[in-house]
């Protein structure tokens, strides 16, 4: 297979109906990958599926709340069945945020964000390990955030989950290298998605984000999905354990 090809590979992309996950599904499917994706809303999954089928993409879906352990087990059972017990690519994309000052977070907020952003990704890696190993060429990509690298006004819980994802990336890269599995993380700054549209609609807020960003704008989902695809290709087979920012230069900006 060519260095820039993913033709004939299989992928699970979590949270593929909107935003970055949707862009990743479409990027991989357009490159010839058979993709399975999930979200909590059956109707929206159905709408996407129609669009994807019309474009000739090989995509299947499951309705699944990834914050629930049994539903993650069911999802991986579905994936194992669809792809004959093997999986080349796992993209852990699902994540959300609650923004509050630290003193205002409740125990429920803590459990919800940990379950959705961190525990779900951790458990999916555990469950998918035999499938990734069986494929002979496995690649895990986490959608982390620059909030896991530097302190920005994201709320502490979100930042903690993303910091943990970055450390998980390093450890799995070392622990599972012998199984032919590479593990990397992509860390975006502001990207226009349903998660951020409310925030970015506030023009003052958007201006404060853009003023910190050397490229002078926020990013698009397709500017994240291109890196995700590269990290799964034969052209990146010596890259593992890395967290790579897609941030318009924000994290290297000292005081410009
Ligand atoms: P969106 O909220 O736009 O999309 C999230 C997707 O995940 C939807 O398809 C949603 O569908 C699904 N999803 C959410 N919760 C669950 C759940 N419990 N079980 C199953 N599916 C779920 O988010 P983004 O595209 O903006 O974010 C994707 C990832 O990128 C997240 O991890 C986020 O932290 C990260 N990120 C985003 C940035 C940004 O600026 N947008 C910046 C940095 C990182 P449904 O709600 O119907 O279940």
């Amino acid at each position: 297979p060519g260095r820039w090809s993913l033709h004939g590979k299989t992928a699970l992309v979590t949270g593929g109906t909107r935003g970055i996950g949707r862009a990743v599904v479409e990027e991989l499917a357009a490159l010839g990958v058979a993709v399975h994706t999930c979200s909590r809303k059956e109707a929206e999954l159905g709408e996407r599926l129609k669009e994807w089928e019309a474009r000739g993409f090989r995509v299947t879906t499951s309705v699944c709340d990834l914050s629930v352990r049994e539903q993650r087990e069911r999802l991986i059972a579905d994936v194992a069945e669809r792809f004959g017990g093997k999986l080349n690519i796992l993209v852990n994309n699902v994540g959300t945020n609650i923004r509050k000052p630290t003193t205002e977070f409740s125990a429920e907020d803590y459990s919800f964000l940990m379950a959705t952003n961190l525990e779900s990704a951790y458990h999916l890696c555990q469950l998918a390990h035999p499938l990734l190993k069986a494929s002979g060429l496995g690649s895990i990509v986490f959608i982390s955030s620059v909030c896991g690298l530097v302190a920005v006004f994201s709320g502490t819980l979100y930042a903690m989950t993303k910091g943990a994802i970055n450390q998980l990336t390093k450890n799995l890269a070392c622990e599972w290298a012998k199984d032919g599995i590479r593990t990397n993380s992509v860390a975006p700054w502001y990207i226009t998605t349903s998660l951020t549209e409310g925030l970015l609609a506030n023009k003052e807020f958007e201006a404060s984000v853009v003023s910190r960003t050397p490229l002078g704008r926020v990013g698009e989902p397709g500017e994240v999905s291109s890196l995700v695809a590269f990290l799964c290709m034969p052209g990146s087979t010596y890259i593992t354990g890395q967290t790579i920012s897609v941030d318009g230069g924000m994290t290297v900006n000292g005081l410009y």
Side-chain angles (χ1 to χ4, degrees):
R3 293 153 61 76
W4 302 98
S5 171
L6 283 174
H7 198 81
K9 300 278 192 253
T10 57
L12 169 62
V13 178
T14 65
T17 51
R18 298 194 305 278
I20 294 170
R22 178 181 180 180
V24 172
V25 168
E26 293 175 0
E27 187 87 48
L28 295 180
L31 288 163
V33 179
V35 182
H36 192 83
T37 191
C38 67
S39 83
R40 291 167 297 183
K41 298 193 194 87
E42 189 168 12
E44 196 172 27
L45 274 172
E47 278 169 39
R48 289 292 167 270
L49 203 52
K50 270 191 232 149
E51 295 166 21
W52 291 331
E53 281 167 357
R55 292 169 72 178
F57 293 162
R58 289 187 298 158
V59 183
T60 49
T61 61
S62 301
V63 181
C64 169
D65 182 345
L66 277 190
S67 65
V68 181
R69 193 170 187 89
E70 297 72 39
Q71 297 195 28
R72 297 191 291 262
E73 286 164 350
R74 164 63 69 83
L75 174 68
I76 296 296
D78 288 350
V79 167
E81 196 183 313
R82 176 170 180 217
F83 297 138
K86 294 180 191 175
L87 182 68
N88 295 113
I89 298 165
L90 169 62
V91 181
N92 280 303
N93 165 71
V94 160
T96 193
N97 196 9
I98 300 169
R99 286 162 187 268
K100 288 180 184 173
T102 296
T103 49
E104 288 171 25
F105 275 120
S106 66
E108 288 72 30
D109 293 335
Y110 188 97
S111 305
F112 172 74
L113 283 179
M114 288 295 162
T116 304
N117 292 9
L118 180 59
E119 189 183 350
S120 74
Y122 186 82
H123 188 211
L124 283 183
C125 289
Q126 291 180 309
L127 293 168
H129 175 261
L131 307 178
L132 292 162
K133 187 176 173 181
S135 79
L137 251 191
S139 177
I140 300 173
V141 180
F142 295 98
I143 309 300
S144 177
S145 168
V146 293
C147 303
L149 295 167
V150 292
V152 288
F153 33 76
S154 64
T156 43
L157 289 179
Y158 183 80
M160 286 160 65
T161 63
K162 297 301 187 179
I165 289 287
N166 298 346
Q167 189 61 9
L168 177 59
T169 302
K170 296 178 192 178
N171 279 263
L172 290 185
C174 298
E175 191 178 330
W176 290 352
K178 65 174 182 354
D179 301 321
I181 301 169
R182 293 181 302 111
T183 308
N184 292 288
S185 211
V186 169
W189 176 226
Y190 274 88
I191 306 294
T192 54
T193 70
S194 61
L195 184 67
T196 54
E197 70 183 349
L199 283 166
L200 295 174
N202 176 341
K203 289 302 152 197
E204 216 173 303
F205 182 85
E206 190 189 19
S208 78
V209 167
V210 166
S211 74
R212 301 290 307 270
T213 309
L215 289 181
R217 60 177 177 85
V218 298
E220 298 296 329
E223 296 180 292
V224 180
S225 60
S226 50
L227 175 58
V228 174
F230 173 67
L231 289 172
C232 302
M233 283 178 181
S236 69
T237 37
Y238 204 51
I239 302 175
T240 196
Q242 303 304 306
T243 298
I244 303 175
S245 297
V246 181
D247 66 353
M250 191 282 278
T251 52
V252 300
N253 186 7
L255 208 63
Y256 265 88

